[in-house]
Amino acid sequence: MTFKTGLATALVAAVVAAIVSAATVLVVWRDSTATASLSGGISDKKAIEDVVQEYLTKNPEILVAMTTELDRRQQEEQDQQQNKAISENADALFRSDKSFTAGDPDGDVTVVEFFDYNCGYCRRAMPDVMKLTDNDDKVRVVFKELPIFGGDSEDAAKGALAAKMQGKYLEMHQKLFSEPGKANKEKVLRIANELGLDVPQLEKDMEGQEVADGLAEAYALAQSLGLQGTPLYLIGDRTIPGAPDDLYDQLVENVEVIRKEGCKTSC
């Protein structure tokens, strides 16, 4: 049995159990080809299950419709929860001094990116994000380090935030993504030296409270949003999960929508 057929069997079994225990079984029974009579009462649960399963097997589009509706409701609920989280955390998301902001500091639309320096999709997406700031002089981009791939990623995030304290965040950010090899502390220190930073001070700041607070804020926001992985882009209260091939076009499109229509929630 394949995973797909096993899933279908389980779904049929679950639907049968639910229908048998509900009053809607009468409708299904009436529409089926069963010969049993409802007027005399039905006591054989197994017979009902057989009839329901036969009905669903002959009408599988019902299961497709149910699955589609379930997906729609789950997505709607997720969107509502996410919009609520965005509204409740708008200041920390869009206006926190703990995060670096590229583009126009007073831009009319804000894009927030959650990322990990060792996330391949984030690496692939970085040029599109920078292209957006180059081509739209009214947009601002807020970077949220979310090191979810272990200690090396955390060291890279700390290094970027420490570089921010010396005015070199964006240079560090771009090099951590664009240069080959894993992002880790060794890479951070090498890049810091190339950028002419005070390396001993950077190492000290990496373990300081300001950097720790920045990471803690990003983790808390990601949890509130129910973030499942990186990257995630918020354009106002609109979202783009992952790094689709047409990311730049999607960013531009969503920026224009927010610019024209505004946010449905606080942003």
Side-chain angles (χ1 to χ4, degrees):
M1 179 183 293
T2 66
F3 173 77
K4 185 176 290 185
T5 58
L7 183 61
T9 300
L11 182 57
V12 170
V15 171
V16 169
I19 294 178
V20 167
S21 64
T24 54
V25 71
L26 298 177
V27 176
V28 177
W29 184 276
R30 187 187 311 121
D31 290 341
S32 73
T33 59
T35 58
S37 172
L38 289 175
S39 59
I42 301 171
S43 58
D44 188 352
K45 180 180 177 182
K46 179 63 167 62
I48 299 175
E49 290 176 345
D50 290 344
V51 169
V52 173
Q53 184 157 340
E54 180 183 1
Y55 180 82
L56 292 174
T57 301
K58 290 181 177 180
N59 300 274
E61 64 276 5
I62 293 176
L63 297 176
V64 175
M66 290 172 63
T67 302
T68 301
E69 177 61 16
L70 178 61
D71 288 344
R72 186 193 67 78
R73 293 188 185 188
Q74 289 177 335
Q75 185 62 52
E76 186 177 85
E77 181 180 358
Q78 181 180 333
D79 290 345
Q80 290 174 349
Q81 292 175 346
Q82 197 165 71
N83 286 340
K84 183 173 183 288
I86 291 172
S87 180
E88 291 177 348
N89 297 281
D91 284 339
L93 280 168
F94 303 111
R95 293 174 284 278
S96 174
D97 59 5
K98 296 179 176 63
S99 302
F100 179 81
T101 299
D104 182 357
D106 301 314
D108 59 350
V109 177
T110 300
V111 176
V112 179
E113 178 187 16
F114 286 88
F115 63 91
D116 182 304
Y117 284 112
N118 284 309
C119 162
Y121 292 105
C122 304
R123 177 189 292 269
R124 189 180 75 186
M126 189 268 289
D128 286 336
V129 176
M130 301 315 303
K131 182 179 177 181
L132 179 69
T133 62
D134 291 339
N135 292 346
D136 188 332
D137 59 6
K138 294 182 180 179
V139 77
R140 59 194 298 269
V141 178
V142 178
F143 296 99
K144 299 288 187 185
E145 285 79 5
L146 190 67
I148 59 177
F149 291 110
D152 285 339
S153 290
E154 186 171 337
D155 284 339
K158 288 179 177 179
L161 290 172
K164 170 178 175 284
M165 299 170 68
Q166 296 189 42
K168 291 290 185 177
Y169 176 92
L170 196 56
E171 292 87 344
M172 175 69 76
H173 175 83
Q174 291 178 288
K175 281 180 171 291
L176 282 172
F177 271 135
S178 62
E179 293 191 3
K182 193 171 190 179
N184 54 25
K185 186 172 182 178
E186 180 182 358
K187 190 174 186 180
V188 164
L189 298 182
R190 176 179 58 77
I191 293 172
N193 187 62
E194 292 172 357
L195 293 175
L197 299 181
D198 183 336
V199 177
Q201 183 62 48
L202 181 127
E203 288 190 86
K204 180 180 179 181
D205 290 337
M206 285 174 66
E207 305 305 324
Q209 192 61 48
E210 185 172 336
V211 167
D213 288 346
L215 291 179
E217 181 180 76
Y219 279 125
L221 289 170
Q223 186 172 14
S224 297
L225 292 168
L227 191 149
Q228 300 297 312
T230 56
L232 175 73
Y233 301 91
L234 301 181
I235 308 92
D237 56 3
R238 300 170 69 88
T239 62
I240 301 175
D245 292 337
D246 62 341
L247 175 62
Y248 176 73
D249 292 335
Q250 287 196 38
L251 287 170
V252 170
E253 179 182 347
N254 280 279
V255 165
E256 288 306 314
V257 170
I258 294 297
R259 187 165 281 151
K260 291 177 182 178
E261 302 178 5
C263 297
K264 296 178 183 177
T265 60
S266 299
C267 68

